[in-house]
Amino acid sequence: MSQNTSVVHVADADKLICIRYMYDGGVLAHARICLLEPQNGDFVTGSELMDILEDDGVDFNAFYASVYETEVSGGGWLPIHSDITKASDISTSKDIELPISTADNQNQVAPRIDVKLYHRPADGMPERTYDSMIAYAKAQPTGKLPPSLGYFGVGVMGAKTQANVGTLWRSAYQLGASFLFTIGQRYRAQSTDTVKAPTRIPLFELDDWTAFAKFAPKGAQWVAVEMGGIPLDEFEHPKDCIYILGSEDNGVPNSVVRSCHHVVSLDSERYASYNVAVAASIVMYDRMSKAKKKEGKE
């Protein structure tokens, strides 16, 4: 016997059990109701539960049942004979006993067992329940992006040592760069770039400064890393920007420095000029560190 009501009132409630079931992803408001009279007045067996659900049209070749329990887990769905597809295949010695709660005799409401039906996983595929898929979806980025989210690119003008550029690319990839670029010199793959960064984020090879000016993304601020600028510890990184570095011996040309929105410099105790890969890594790490501190305060 099946009904589509959510509460069942019966004349002899102490003998009947209300089986309320739904499929994974559904809601209790749309659950189906079956009435079961168990052989034992103290518990319902797993085979009895499966049998009445089979009679109501549940295909146990495609689904398995779980009952809601509170004593063991504090509130969770307990699988019932999930490895069995027919109630008749359950042996009496291995059958599960589900205790029956006392009926509300005053209101003549039958005791109830809530059941959720889960899809059996396909052969060779992991089980994906509705709850797990919703949790996965909520963990993914959505259109509601944090206001502090931005991007940055980093590159070298007139690089002197290709091995140093390879190291820079590796650090740039590790520290979140969106793209890489060279100005005036092609990049040859280096063993120092152990992550092969240009295969993971875009690398642009630009012929000269004019080509860079045409290439630079709209709205991105240009930041020259050069001596005589704002000390790095005082510098507030733009949300969207491009970091421009020069060679170790000549640095960033003065004409380029003058055209940049910002100039940032690195303090030192002895020798003022850093290796280009080291200088870029320090700047990118500073950006990441300050961004994390800012997020922690918001």
Side-chain angles (χ1 to χ4, degrees):
M1 175 181 180
S2 299
Q3 301 180 28
N4 283 322
T5 56
S6 58
V7 178
V8 178
H9 295 269
V10 294
D12 201 3
D14 58 334
K15 293 182 180 180
L16 294 175
I17 305 299
C18 174
I19 307 299
R20 181 170 65 171
Y21 75 92
M22 64 179 179
Y23 289 86
D24 181 39
V27 294
L28 288 173
H30 299 155
R32 288 185 62 82
I33 300 294
C34 298
L35 292 178
L36 168 66
E37 184 175 353
Q39 294 181 2
N40 188 297
D42 296 325
F43 58 83
V44 172
T45 64
S47 57
E48 288 177 320
L49 181 65
M50 288 183 64
D51 189 55
I52 195 169
L53 292 175
E54 282 180 344
D55 289 345
D56 204 52
V58 174
D59 181 5
F60 282 106
N61 288 304
F63 299 90
Y64 68 88
S66 294
V67 299
Y68 191 78
E69 67 84 30
T70 58
E71 293 185 7
V72 177
S73 67
W77 295 98
L78 177 68
I80 302 297
H81 298 307
S82 59
D83 57 337
I84 296 176
T85 58
K86 293 180 66 177
S88 58
D89 292 340
I90 303 173
S91 64
T92 303
S93 61
K94 295 183 178 180
D95 209 350
I96 295 174
E97 297 178 355
L98 306 171
I100 299 173
S101 60
T102 304
D104 185 345
N105 292 322
Q106 182 178 356
N107 295 319
Q108 294 187 312
V109 177
R112 186 183 69 222
I113 296 177
D114 286 332
V115 180
K116 183 183 286 191
L117 299 170
Y118 290 94
H119 256 295
R120 294 185 184 276
D123 292 341
M125 297 293 291
E127 182 175 13
R128 293 295 299 275
T129 67
Y130 176 81
D131 292 338
S132 69
M133 289 189 288
I134 288 297
Y136 177 81
K138 287 183 177 180
Q140 305 310 304
T142 68
K144 297 179 180 180
L145 299 175
S148 60
L149 187 66
Y151 69 85
F152 74 91
V154 61
V156 185
M157 186 173 189
K160 181 180 178 181
T161 307
Q162 289 285 309
N164 287 344
V165 177
T167 302
L168 190 161
W169 288 171
R170 181 181 66 186
S171 297
Y173 175 72
Q174 288 178 288
L175 295 169
S178 301
F179 61 90
L180 317 167
F181 65 92
T182 60
I183 302 175
Q185 188 174 12
R186 303 291 177 179
Y187 171 69
R188 300 188 304 275
Q190 301 293 311
S191 60
T192 50
D193 177 14
T194 56
V195 299
K196 296 181 173 56
T199 68
R200 301 172 185 270
I201 53 178
L203 166 62
F204 301 94
E205 296 178 321
L206 307 169
D207 292 333
D208 50 31
W209 181 250
T210 300
F212 169 84
K214 293 180 179 179
F215 150 84
K218 182 179 180 180
Q221 297 187 34
W222 305 350
V223 181
V225 181
E226 187 56 75
M227 291 183 286
I230 301 172
L232 182 60
D233 61 349
E234 300 176 12
F235 184 63
E236 183 175 347
H237 297 265
K239 187 179 79 166
D240 305 319
C241 70
I242 304 173
Y243 298 105
I244 305 166
L245 296 99
S247 62
E248 287 90 339
D249 50 1
N250 295 322
V252 181
N254 289 334
S255 58
V256 172
V257 171
R258 287 194 294 269
S259 67
C260 288
H261 299 88
H262 308 278
V263 182
V264 62
S265 62
L266 309 181
D267 291 337
S268 63
E269 289 294 330
R270 294 186 174 89
Y271 189 58
S273 179
Y274 285 88
N275 171 291
V276 66
V278 173
S281 298
I282 292 173
V283 171
M284 290 185 290
Y285 183 84
D286 184 77
R287 176 190 178 94
M288 180 184 71
S289 178
K290 288 176 179 175
K292 287 185 176 180
K293 288 181 180 177
K294 186 176 181 180
E295 288 175 2
K297 292 179 180 179
E298 293 178 349

